[in-house]
C-alpha cells in the first residue's frame, strides 16, 4: 500500500510536467499577447516591458526559467494586475474557490445518493418519477442559465438569499445559491447513477442469496446492496470534482465570487501569460490529487482490489 | 427417507407478465417431499425448475412474476399465505437454497464470516462469537481447509468450488429441514462437480435434511436422487421413484431424455439419440400437450387437450394420453 502510494505520487510529476509544458507553448501560440492593445504602446515602452518580463529572450530560455520558478511554486508577477503577483492572487482566491467546490461536491453527493436510493427503492412510483425528472433537468440545464434564474427569483424577486458576492459581504447565506447552482448537474448525475446501480445490484445473485437467507429487506438494502451499488459513485467523484472545478469558473463569474475562477477567465482574455500558467498549474494539481484520492478510497472500499 | 410428508406442492402456478404476453413458467406443478428424501427435478433449460423453487419460498420477483394459484404446504402451513415476516423465518432457517453460480452468489463486499454469522445470529439467536464458532464448524464439515483463517477472507479469495462449499456450509448452518439446490454444479468444472454433489449428499444425509436437487442432467439424478420429477414447459410430465423411472420410463419425453444420455456400458456405435425439435415457447401456450410437436407417439387428442394425470403404484404419475388406461385423478 505505502509503495503503491509513493509510486502514484511520483507518477504525478511527469503528468504535471507535460501539462505545464503543453500549456506554456499553447498559450504562446495563441494570437495576440499581454501588451497588445487597440491603441499601440510606444515602441520604447514595449521594449522595456518585454525586457522586464524576460520576453525579449528566446522562447526556450523563457520556458526553462519558468520551469525553475514553478518548481519553487513561484508564478511570477501578473502581466495585467501590475501590483500583484500571481501567487498573491491565488493565495487569496483559492480558499474561496475550494470552499465553494467542496461544499458543492458534498451537497451533490449527499443529495444525489439519497435521491438515488429513494428512487430505486420506489421504482416506477411517484418519488421515482419526480427524481428522474429532476435528474433530466439537472443534466440538461447549463450553469449559466440555472444561476441567473436562481438569482432572479430567490435573490431579486423573493429576496430570500443574496444575489451574489461572498461570505465576507453577506455571511454564510452567500454560499447557498452558488453552491446549489454548481452542485445541481452533479447531483442529477449522481442520483441517476446511484439509482441505476442500486437497481442492478438489487437484481444480482448475491441479493437473491441474502433474501433467501431470510434477511429483512432493510438489512438487505443497507448491508448488502449499498456498498456495492455506491462504488460507481465513488469512481465518479474524480470526474465530478474536475467538472465542479471547471464549473466554478462560470459560477464565480455569475455570482461575482472573489475566487480564482474569474481571474482565470480574465487572464485568458488578456493573455496574462503568468496568471494563466499559474491557474493552469493550480487546477492541474487539484485535479490529479483529487483523482489519486479517489483511487485510494476506492481501494479501501472494494476488497477485490489490492494495491501492490 | 420416511413416510412423513414435510412439503406438499399443490397445483402451483406462477406466471410472468411480459410485453409479448403471459409466460406460464410454472403451470400446475404438484409433488410431495418426505422427510430426508432427495428429490430430483429435471428438464431442459427454461422449463420452469428455478421458478418452481423460488415460488416455494415465495421469492418470485414481482412484477413481472406472480403466483396465481396453488398451495405450498410446509408441515401443513401454506407458505404462500404467510406474512412477509413469517416466511422470512422459514427462509434460510427451515428451507434454505443454494444457487447455480457460486461466483456471483456470495456478496463480494462482505467477508465470508459476516455473511455466515448474520444468518446464524438471525435464526438461532446465538451471540456473534458463538455464531462464528458454528460457522467455522460448518466450513470444516464442508471441507474447507483452515476454516478459522479462511472465514475472515472475502469471496474472491476462494475458487469456484470452494465458494460453492461456502454456500453449502452457509445454507446448512441453521440445520434446515429442506435444502433446495438449484443446479449447484452446473457452473463448476467437471472434476469438481462430483465432489460437490457428494458433499451435499453426505452432509444432508448426516443432518437428515431433505433435498430438492434441480438439474438438467439425468446422470446426476440417477446417482443421487430417491425420487424424480421430469418437467416440461412448466408442468411435471412424469414423477416417481428414480430407479423405477429409469427402468421403465413412461412418458415419451422421459424416454427420450433417458435414451439421450451417453452410456459407457452400451456399445456406442450408433449415433447418440436426441429429441427432435425445440422446447416450446411458454408464452400464451394453448391447452394442448406442449410436447406433441416433438412426440413420436402423438395422437389427435394430444393437440386438443392437456392430458389428465395417470396415477400408478408407488407414487408414479404420468401426464400423457397414452396412459388414459391408468387410474384417472
Ligand atoms: N423474471 C422473469 N421475467 C420473465 N420471465 C421469466 C422470469 N424468470 C423466469 N422467466 C421465464 O420462466 C420460464 C422458466 O424459467 P426457469 O424456471 O428459470 O427455467 P429453468 O428450468 O431453466 O430453471 C422461462 O421461460 C423464463 O423465460
Ligand atoms: Mg434455472
Amino acid at each position: 500500500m505505502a509503495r503503491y502510494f509513493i509510486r502514484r505520487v511520483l507518477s504525478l510529476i511527469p503528468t504535471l510536467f507535460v501539462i505545464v509544458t503543453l500549456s506554456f507553448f499553447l498559450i504562446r501560440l495563441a494570437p495576440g499577447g499581454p501588451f497588445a492593445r487597440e491603441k499601440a504602446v510606444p515602441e520604447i515602452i514595449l521594449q522595456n516591458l518585454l525586457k522586464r518580463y524576460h520576453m525579449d529572450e528566446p522562447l526556450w530560455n523563457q520556458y526553462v526559467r519558468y520551469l525553475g520558478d514553478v518548481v519553487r511554486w513561484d508564478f511570477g508577477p501578473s502581466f495585467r494586475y501590475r501590483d500583484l503577483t500571481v501567487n498573491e492572487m491565488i493565495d487569496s482566491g483559492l480558499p474561496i474557490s475550494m470552499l465553494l467546490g467542496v461544499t458543492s461536491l458534498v451537497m451533490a453527493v449527499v443529495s444525489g445518493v439519497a435521491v438515488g436510493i429513494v428512487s430505486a427503492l420506489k421504482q416506477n412510483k411517484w418519488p421515482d418519477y419526480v427524481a428522474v425528472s429532476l435528474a433530466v433537468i439537472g443534466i440538461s440545464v447549463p450553469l449559466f442559465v440555472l444561476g441567473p434564474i436562481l438569482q432572479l427569483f430567490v435573490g431579486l424577486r423573493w429576496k430570500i438569499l443574496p444575489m451574489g458576492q461572498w461570505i465576507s459581504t453577506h455571511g454564510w447565506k452567500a454560499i447557498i445559491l452558488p453552491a446549489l447552482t454548481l452542485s445541481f448537474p452533479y447531483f442529477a448525475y449522481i442520483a441517476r447513477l446511484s439509482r441505476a446501480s442500486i437497481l442492478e445490484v438489487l437484481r444480482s445473485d448475491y441479493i437473491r442469496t441474502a433474501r433467501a437467507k431470510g434477511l429483512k429487506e432493510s438489512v438487505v438494502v443497507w448491508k448488502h446492496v449499498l456498498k456495492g451499488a455506491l462504488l460507481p459513485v465513488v469512481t465518479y467523484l474524480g470526474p465530478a470534482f474536475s467538472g465542479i472545478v471547471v464549473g466554478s469558473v462560470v459560477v464565480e463569474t455569475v455570482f461575482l465570487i472573489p475566487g480564482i475562477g474569474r481571474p482565470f477567465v480574465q487572464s485568458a482574455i488578456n493573455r496574462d501569460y503568468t496568471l494563466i500558467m499559474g491557474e493552469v498549474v493550480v487546477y492541474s494539481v487539484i485535479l490529479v490529487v483529487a483523482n489519486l484520492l479517489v483511487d485510494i478510497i476506492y481501494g479501501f472500499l472494494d476488497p477485490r482490489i489490492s494495491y501492490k | 427417507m420416511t413416510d412423513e410428508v414435510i412439503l406438499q406442492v399443490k397445483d402451483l402456478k406462477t406466471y410472468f407478465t411480459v410485453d409479448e404476453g403471459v409466460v406460464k413458467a410454472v403451470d400446475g406443478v404438484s409433488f410431495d417431499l418426505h422427510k430426508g428424501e432427495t428429490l430430483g427435478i429435471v428438464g431442459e433449460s427454461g422449463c420452469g425448475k428455478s421458478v418452481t423453487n423460488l415460488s416455494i419460498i415465495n421469492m418470485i420477483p414481482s412484477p413481472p412474476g406472480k403466483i396465481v394459484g396453488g398451495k405450498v404446504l410446509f408441515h401443513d402451513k401454506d407458505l404462500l399465505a404467510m406474512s412477509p415476516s413469517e416466511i422470512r423465518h422459514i427462509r434460510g432457517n427451515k428451507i434454505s437454497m443454494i444457487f447455480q453460480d457460486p461466483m456471483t452468489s456470495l456478496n463480494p463486499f462482505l467477508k465470508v464470516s459476516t455473511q455466515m454469522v448474520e444468518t446464524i445470529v438471525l435464526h438461532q439467536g446465538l451471540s456473534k462469537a458463538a455464531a462464528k464458532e458454528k460457522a467455522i464448524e460448518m466450513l470444516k464439515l464442508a471441507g474447507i481447509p483452515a476454516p478459522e483463517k479462511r472465514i475472515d477472507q472475502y469471496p474472491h479469495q476462494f475458487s469456484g468450488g470452494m465458494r460453492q462449499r461456502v454456500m453449502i456450509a452457509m445454507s446448512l448452518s441453521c440445520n434446515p429441514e429442506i435444502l433446495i439446490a438449484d443446479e449447484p454444479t452446473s457452473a463448476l468444472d467437471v472434476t469438481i462437480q462430483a465432489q460437490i454433489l457428494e458433499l451435499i449428499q453426505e452432509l444432508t444425509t448426516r443432518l437428515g435434511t431433505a433435498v430438492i436437487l434441480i438439474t438438467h442432467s439425468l446422470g446426476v439424478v440417477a446417482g443421487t436422487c430417491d425420487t424424480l420429477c421430469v418437467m416440461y414447459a412448466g408442468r411435471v410430465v412424469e414423477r416417481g421413484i428414480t430407479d423405477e423411472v429409469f427402468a421403465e420410463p413412461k412418458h415419451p419425453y422421459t424416454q427420450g431424455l433417458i435414451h439421450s444420455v451417453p452410456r459407457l456400458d452400451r456399445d456406442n456405435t450408433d449415433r447418440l439419440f436426441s429429441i427432435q425439435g425445440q422446447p416450446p415457447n411458454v408464452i400464451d401456450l394453448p391447452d394442448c400437450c406442449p410436447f406433441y410437436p416433438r412426440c413420436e407417439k402423438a395422437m389427435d387428442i394430444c393437440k386438443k387437450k392437456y392430458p389428465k394425470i395417470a396415477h400408478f403404484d408407488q407414487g408414479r404419475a404420468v401426464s400423457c394420453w397414452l396412459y388414459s388406461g391408468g387410474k384417472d385423478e
Side-chain angles (χ1 to χ4, degrees):
Chain A
M1 181 70 208
R3 279 181 56 197
Y4 169 82
F5 185 75
I6 292 169
R7 215 178 56 221
R8 279 297 303 268
V9 171
L10 288 180
S11 76
L12 298 185
I13 294 170
T15 313
L16 290 172
F17 172 77
V18 170
I19 293 174
V20 169
T21 306
L22 279 179
S23 324
F24 185 88
F25 290 104
L26 278 175
I27 291 166
R28 302 292 168 132
L29 278 180
F35 309 120
R37 293 286 186 290
E38 311 252 302
K39 187 162 144 274
V41 185
E43 183 60 25
I44 177 87
I45 297 181
L46 185 62
Q47 289 306 328
N48 277 336
L49 279 172
L50 290 178
K51 202 174 175 78
R52 158 128 160 53
Y53 292 105
H54 304 289
M55 282 179 59
D56 53 344
E57 295 172 19
L59 196 54
W60 180 254
N61 288 10
Q62 295 182 36
Y63 168 67
V64 173
R65 179 195 304 280
Y66 189 74
L67 275 189
D69 289 345
V70 165
V71 170
R72 280 179 279 113
W73 203 250
D74 174 4
F75 301 115
S78 163
F79 282 52
R80 189 61 188 257
Y81 307 93
R82 301 279 155 76
D83 37 4
L84 286 176
T85 65
V86 173
N87 286 75
E88 283 167 344
M89 299 183 68
I90 286 173
D91 288 348
S92 76
L94 186 60
I96 295 175
S97 296
M98 287 299 280
L99 180 61
L100 176 62
V102 171
T103 310
S104 308
L105 187 67
V106 170
M107 280 171 56
V109 170
V110 172
S111 55
V113 166
V115 168
I117 293 175
V118 172
S119 158
L121 297 183
K122 303 272 174 209
Q123 196 196 357
N124 298 334
K125 305 210 175 81
W126 72 263
D128 186 28
Y129 292 132
V130 172
V132 172
S133 322
L134 215 56
V136 172
I137 296 173
I139 289 164
S140 43
V141 176
L143 295 179
F144 55 83
V145 173
L146 180 62
I149 290 178
L150 287 176
Q151 283 177 318
L152 179 62
F153 287 97
V154 184
L156 195 63
R157 290 265 172 87
W158 305 330
K159 300 198 169 29
I160 301 172
L161 291 167
M163 276 181 68
Q165 294 180 313
W166 197 236
I167 299 170
S168 43
T169 328
H170 295 291
W172 287 100
K173 277 198 278 181
I175 202 173
I176 299 177
L177 281 192
L180 201 64
T181 309
L182 187 51
S183 67
F184 198 61
Y186 301 95
F187 146 77
Y189 191 83
I190 291 173
R192 239 173 48 151
L193 186 68
S194 44
R195 173 184 186 271
S197 144
I198 290 169
L199 286 177
E200 190 183 316
V201 173
L202 277 172
R203 281 191 295 266
S204 70
D205 285 353
Y206 66 86
I207 295 307
R208 185 182 55 189
T209 306
R211 290 187 174 134
K213 292 200 296 190
L215 299 178
K216 268 198 212 148
E217 196 58 22
S218 57
V219 177
V220 171
V221 170
W222 288 104
K223 192 165 169 188
H224 285 263
V225 175
L226 285 190
K227 196 166 177 200
L230 295 185
L231 273 181
V233 175
V234 176
T235 319
Y236 177 64
L237 287 184
F241 195 70
S242 323
I244 281 187
V245 167
V246 174
S248 93
V249 173
V250 177
V251 170
E252 285 178 23
T253 308
V254 170
F255 286 93
L256 300 177
I257 293 168
I260 56 172
R262 258 195 314 161
F264 192 27
V265 179
Q266 287 303 317
S267 69
I269 298 169
N270 294 334
R271 302 282 188 274
D272 190 342
Y273 289 158
T274 44
L275 186 52
I276 299 178
M277 284 306 296
E279 298 253 359
V280 166
V281 172
V282 169
Y283 280 132
S284 315
V285 170
I286 293 175
L287 294 186
V288 291
V289 170
N291 278 307
L292 175 63
L293 285 180
V294 167
D295 281 358
I296 290 172
I297 295 173
Y298 196 93
F300 277 111
L301 295 181
D302 190 341
R304 290 168 299 187
I305 291 177
S306 69
Y307 291 128
K308 291 199 197 80
Chain B
M1 176 173 163
T2 63
D3 287 340
E4 186 193 341
V5 176
I6 51 176
L7 186 81
Q8 278 181 293
V9 176
K10 288 188 162 176
D11 201 25
L12 180 68
K13 292 185 181 178
T14 305
Y15 296 172
F16 290 88
T17 311
V18 295
D19 293 341
E20 295 81 27
V22 175
V23 178
K24 297 184 174 178
V26 171
D27 200 15
V29 164
S30 306
F31 58 81
D32 293 350
L33 183 71
H34 300 82
K35 195 169 184 324
E37 173 180 351
T38 298
L39 166 74
I41 299 186
V42 270
E44 285 160 295
S45 177
C47 70
K49 306 181 295 290
S50 299
V51 171
T52 302
N53 287 285
L54 283 175
S55 302
I56 290 176
I57 54 171
N58 207 346
M59 264 186 42
I60 293 298
S62 165
K66 193 169 184 343
I67 299 174
V68 296
K71 285 193 169 111
V72 176
L73 301 177
F74 176 63
H75 292 297
D76 300 322
K77 281 195 75 179
D78 188 359
L79 297 180
L80 303 182
M82 282 186 176
S83 71
S85 69
E86 279 177 303
I87 185 88
R88 277 203 304 269
H89 178 69
I90 303 280
R91 290 182 195 149
N93 185 21
K94 307 280 185 205
I95 303 179
S96 59
M97 280 190 105
I98 320 176
F99 299 99
Q100 176 168 350
D101 191 351
M103 302 310 274
T104 55
S105 292
L106 288 162
N107 190 328
F109 303 106
L110 298 176
K111 287 179 180 166
V112 166
S113 55
T114 313
Q115 303 187 50
M116 291 189 71
V117 164
E118 69 178 349
T119 322
I120 301 172
V121 168
L122 175 69
H123 293 303
Q124 312 228 299
L126 297 183
S127 71
K128 277 196 177 167
K132 192 165 174 181
E133 288 294 308
K134 169 92 190 173
I136 291 173
E137 185 192 318
M138 290 308 299
L139 288 177
K140 192 179 281 167
L141 281 181
I144 304 246
E148 324 59 30
K149 202 170 111 267
R150 304 224 55 182
I151 193 167
D152 286 316
Q153 295 184 334
Y154 287 94
H156 73 272
Q157 292 166 291
F158 292 73
S159 67
M162 283 295 165
R163 285 192 218 184
Q164 200 60 304
R165 285 174 191 269
V166 170
M167 281 298 291
I168 291 169
M170 188 160 82
S171 60
L172 293 176
S173 62
C174 296
N175 211 348
E177 290 182 50
I178 302 173
L179 173 70
I180 299 176
D182 189 346
E183 310 214 27
T185 59
S186 303
L188 298 175
D189 287 349
V190 191
T191 47
I192 298 169
Q193 291 184 356
Q195 295 173 15
I196 294 293
L197 280 176
E198 225 165 85
L199 177 69
I200 293 176
Q201 251 190 314
E202 183 202 313
L203 288 186
T204 54
T205 310
R206 183 179 328 177
L207 300 168
T209 319
V211 180
I212 300 179
L213 180 67
I214 304 180
T215 172
H216 54 249
S217 156
L218 274 178
V220 167
V221 176
T224 41
C225 299
D226 304 312
T227 50
L228 116 97
C229 286
V230 179
M231 284 189 68
Y232 191 82
R235 316 224 198 192
V236 174
V237 293
E238 176 157 10
R239 61 173 201 256
I241 293 171
T242 308
D243 294 342
E244 300 200 353
V245 175
F246 272 82
E248 197 211 335
K250 291 189 187 291
H251 196 287
Y253 179 60
T254 319
Q255 292 167 358
L257 280 183
I258 289 175
H259 287 143
S260 55
V261 176
R263 291 185 55 161
L264 295 176
D265 56 347
R266 294 223 188 103
D267 103 56
N268 279 329
T269 48
D270 293 341
R271 276 196 58 179
L272 193 57
F273 177 83
S274 69
I275 304 173
Q276 296 302 309
Q278 294 291 319
N281 190 347
V282 285
I283 296 177
D284 299 326
L285 267 185
D287 184 40
C288 60
C289 172
F291 186 61
Y292 88 82
R294 304 170 74 185
C295 183
E296 289 171 352
K297 299 172 184 155
M299 303 173 289
D300 271 348
I301 179 93
C302 305
K303 300 171 194 172
K304 291 183 187 131
K305 241 172 111 47
Y306 191 80
K308 282 186 180 161
I309 299 177
H311 291 270
F312 299 85
D313 290 344
Q314 295 190 288
R316 186 76 169 275
V318 183
S319 288
C320 178
W321 284 114
L322 289 175
Y323 303 94
S324 48
K327 290 176 285 173
D328 271 356
E329 197 167 54

